[in-house]
Amino acid sequence: MTSMNGRPADGNGVSPDAARDDPSPSAPHHDTVAAVVGQWQAVHPGLDTGPMEIIGRINRCAALLQQAEDAPLRRAGLSRPEFDLLGALRRTGHELTPSELTRETFSSGAAVTKRLKQLTERGLVERRGDTRDRRVAHVRLTDAGRELVDAILPEQLAYETAVLAGLDTPGQGELATLLGELLVQLEGRLGVLRV
């Protein structure tokens, strides 16, 4: 098996060069994905598990972040998808139709409809019918919704900063760039995934 840089990797998915060059006291890193990779290598020696080392870690990070939830959002009684919907209305600065919100939040139409119902009941968004087409609705933030987004966003960003505190600033920039490149490829190849 090879590591991401093409050099031979040890059973934990870490190349000898990377382990030697890593100045941290815990090098090499033995995360849960490294253990899984090691098990697969024991069953299938010579199998290239490089993709698993990337995709598996992305999936594991996503699962852990979902388990941890977003503390500021939780305190406000919002889920991440609800906040994303409110955020879309706030950052675009104008009314959006449910279809536009579906595209903005990478969600299904049914999920957006459900969230809009809940947020309307809480007085955070309001809907108005289109004067020319009764089938179309326009959604906007209420004053309460705008105030809530503006109050939560700085706190949410501070929370996310704390979550990423284990990575130095250059590391965060490099990770953001690499993930951005991967996302562009996936969106182009697979289309935007709906949840």
Side-chain angles (χ1 to χ4, degrees):
M1 181 198 126
T2 59
S3 65
M4 290 184 295
N5 61 12
R7 295 188 178 111
D10 67 13
N12 293 312
V14 179
S15 73
D17 291 346
R20 185 174 57 250
D21 295 340
D22 187 347
S24 67
S26 60
H29 300 290
H30 295 287
D31 58 39
T32 54
V33 173
V36 169
V37 167
Q39 291 168 343
W40 277 117
Q41 289 174 343
V43 174
H44 290 290
L47 186 69
D48 180 10
T49 55
M52 185 184 301
E53 295 176 46
I54 297 171
I55 303 299
R57 286 186 172 101
I58 290 173
N59 287 338
R60 181 67 176 148
C61 286
L64 290 171
L65 289 170
Q66 288 176 353
Q67 287 175 13
E69 297 185 17
D70 300 289
L73 302 183
R74 189 173 60 246
R75 284 194 294 274
L78 292 172
S79 66
R80 166 60 79 164
E82 289 171 336
F83 182 72
D84 288 346
L85 196 150
L86 294 174
L89 289 167
R90 183 67 175 114
R91 72 175 185 267
T92 58
H94 55 79
E95 295 179 345
L96 295 172
T97 65
S99 295
E100 291 169 332
L101 283 167
T102 294
R103 286 191 298 273
E104 286 287 333
T105 60
F106 314 111
S107 301
S108 69
V112 166
T113 298
K114 179 181 176 183
R115 292 169 196 147
L116 283 177
K117 181 177 186 296
Q118 295 167 337
L119 294 171
T120 300
E121 289 171 355
R122 290 185 59 183
L124 300 175
V125 301
E126 56 189 14
R127 302 168 66 121
R128 70 168 183 84
D130 190 285
T131 54
R132 291 173 294 181
D133 188 343
R134 294 172 51 188
R135 296 168 298 175
V136 177
H138 297 272
V139 183
R140 65 182 171 200
L141 287 174
T142 61
D143 289 341
R146 188 177 303 104
E147 290 170 7
L148 182 61
V149 172
D150 289 348
I152 290 176
L153 185 58
E155 189 180 355
Q156 180 64 23
L157 288 172
Y159 171 79
E160 292 174 359
T161 298
V163 168
L164 296 172
L167 295 175
D168 60 19
T169 302
Q172 290 185 31
E174 184 180 356
L175 179 59
T177 298
L178 290 171
L179 289 173
E181 291 172 1
L182 176 61
L183 184 57
V184 166
Q185 289 183 33
L186 291 176
E187 287 180 342
R189 191 179 318 144
L190 304 177
V192 178
L193 300 179
R194 303 290 183 196
V195 292

